[in-house]
Amino acid sequence: MELTPERLIAQLDNEPLRPVYLIAGPEPLRVLEAADAVRARARDEGVDEREVLDADGRDFDWSRLTGSLGAMSLFASRRLIDLRLASAKPGKDGAEAILDFCAHPPDDVVLLITGEDWSRQHGGKWSEAVAKTGHHAIAWTLKPHELPDWIERRLRARGLRADRDAVERLVERLEGNLLAAAQEIDKLALLGDGTAIDLARMEAYVANAARYDVFRLVDAALNGQPALVVRMLHGLRAEGEAVPALMGMLVMELQRAAALARAQARGGNLAAEFKAQRVWDAKQAVYRRALQRHDAARWERFVIEAGRVDRIAKGRARPGEEPADAWLALERLLVAVAESRGARLLAGRATG
């Protein structure tokens, strides 16, 4: 049956492990935590052997999955096969392999399927078979009105209490970023003294420790959120931040995206490149969305443009380089990264 990730996590404590799980959706934190819960439950039931299959792109050989399903375990009586779909679309061969598994699930195998996206068009007979044989959990992006309840549940899970005004202030601060929300709540748990958090305490915490930062700025650009990019830049500027202090992280992330785009353009294994670039699982969906907007040549241009912004910020602009305002140059670059028409935006800068 189809569940929310949170419902799946709760249900794992009340029933035996199912033969197959499908966890997918555009919210990486919810996918990651639900998948981690399945892995933990598998370990609790003595499933100590795990095999990871990255079905990244059309070149994946689905006979690897069927071969793994038919292989005898060398070290354990039961195994977990961790099948990771880049787009949550297995294709014809993959759908047939999953359907075959669901029709006759082996006693010694638990199949965990995760995907970094989902829509009504992703599903089909294969996902329906998963729902009947095991569980299907979709991690939809939370709507704005759902965020306060999600944050309140997370606070309670960390042993914290907060009044509604304090929760709303934290929601406003986080701009819908669940990964950031999880981090902030973990920090609050470390600072908590057992008393309820009211608006005044939350305001003090937000003012002292939860300001806009370059990590979230880069995430907003990669996620395709130009309006949020502009707001965050204005917030950083108002707080007295300097452009050169932002450029190290920004250049690193743009170079990482450019390397991923080059690997994708030459038909390489993107999963292997994620590992080489040390991109953790929950962040990969962010990069995949960014790679869909721009090709490798454009990412190379973004890296070059970042170098120009850095020179302007340090007072080393070359003759004819405009605009002289480093903040405006940085805003144009990040909005270009966030927009699918990025090249035209930078061209507009060059032509004035």
Side-chain angles (χ1 to χ4, degrees):
M1 60 180 296
E2 183 177 320
L3 305 170
T4 65
E6 293 77 17
R7 177 72 181 276
L8 172 60
I9 292 171
Q11 202 152 316
L12 286 168
D13 291 332
N14 300 314
E15 65 180 27
L17 206 59
R18 298 291 185 96
V20 58
Y21 296 87
L22 168 60
I23 306 168
E27 185 47 70
L29 178 68
R30 300 176 75 201
V31 172
L32 178 65
E33 292 187 338
D36 281 346
V38 172
R39 296 181 191 110
R41 180 55 193 265
R43 288 192 297 271
D44 291 343
E45 290 197 12
V47 183
D48 296 323
E49 186 178 334
R50 179 163 72 102
E51 180 180 359
V52 177
L53 297 177
D54 284 302
D56 185 18
R58 298 178 181 178
D59 296 333
F60 180 73
D61 182 2
W62 284 95
S63 65
R64 291 178 58 192
L65 174 61
T66 54
S68 295
L69 295 174
M72 294 292 292
S73 175
L74 297 177
F75 307 106
S77 59
R78 298 175 73 194
R79 295 172 293 140
L80 175 70
I81 295 181
D82 199 332
L83 176 64
R84 302 178 180 183
L85 303 177
S87 65
K89 290 183 178 179
K92 181 180 178 181
D93 293 341
E96 289 178 356
I98 294 169
L99 279 167
D100 288 344
F101 174 89
C102 292
H104 305 286
D107 293 335
D108 63 341
V109 173
V110 175
L111 177 60
L112 170 61
I113 308 167
T114 54
E116 298 171 354
D117 202 359
W118 192 261
S119 69
R120 298 303 180 188
Q121 287 71 42
H122 281 73
K125 292 182 179 179
W126 70 277
S127 61
E128 293 171 3
V130 169
K132 290 178 181 178
T133 308
H135 284 310
H136 181 192
I138 303 301
W140 299 113
T141 300
L142 294 182
K143 296 179 175 61
H145 72 272
E146 296 173 323
L147 286 170
D149 287 341
W150 186 89
I151 285 178
E152 284 188 341
R153 288 194 299 271
R154 190 135 191 137
L155 286 166
R156 287 196 299 270
R158 297 295 186 274
L160 299 170
R161 293 176 296 129
D163 64 32
R164 195 66 176 186
D165 288 340
V167 170
E168 292 286 356
R169 180 65 184 91
L170 190 55
V171 169
E172 178 185 324
R173 159 71 184 97
L174 295 168
E175 299 275 1
N177 186 331
L178 297 194
L179 285 169
Q183 293 169 355
E184 299 298 351
I185 291 169
D186 286 345
K187 292 177 187 176
L188 282 168
L190 292 174
L191 298 171
D193 57 7
T195 59
I197 302 170
D198 59 14
L199 178 59
R201 289 186 64 193
M202 187 66 78
E203 287 280 3
Y205 173 76
V206 168
N208 292 333
R211 64 182 178 82
Y212 287 128
D213 58 39
V214 66
F215 298 100
R216 291 171 192 157
L217 176 65
V218 173
D219 277 356
L222 294 176
N223 268 317
Q225 299 172 289
L228 179 56
V229 164
V230 173
R231 288 200 302 274
M232 296 184 85
L233 277 173
H234 290 176
L236 285 164
R237 189 172 190 175
E239 290 169 356
E241 191 63 82
V243 171
L246 308 177
M247 295 309 298
M249 176 61 67
L250 174 60
V251 170
M252 184 183 74
E253 295 291 343
L254 291 177
Q255 289 174 335
R256 180 176 285 165
L260 291 165
R262 288 194 298 270
Q264 182 173 265
R266 64 173 180 264
N269 187 326
L270 196 56
E273 189 64 28
F274 275 129
K275 292 178 182 176
Q277 295 295 329
R278 298 181 180 178
V279 179
W280 49 304
D281 289 352
K283 189 71 177 289
Q284 291 178 13
V286 173
Y287 281 99
R288 290 185 189 277
R289 285 192 285 272
L291 294 176
Q292 290 175 358
R293 289 197 304 277
H294 307 299
D295 60 18
R298 194 176 291 175
W299 285 109
E300 298 290 353
R301 185 174 179 187
F302 290 152
V303 173
I304 293 171
E305 183 69 9
R308 188 185 76 88
V309 174
D310 191 52
R311 290 193 299 274
I312 292 173
K314 294 175 180 176
R316 300 173 185 170
R318 295 169 181 169
E321 283 191 329
E322 294 291 343
D325 183 342
W327 282 103
L328 179 56
L330 178 58
E331 180 178 310
R332 286 178 171 172
L333 169 59
L334 290 176
V335 169
V337 171
E339 291 273 13
S340 58
R341 56 193 181 98
R344 186 166 55 176
L345 290 169
L346 291 184
R349 185 269 310 160
T351 60

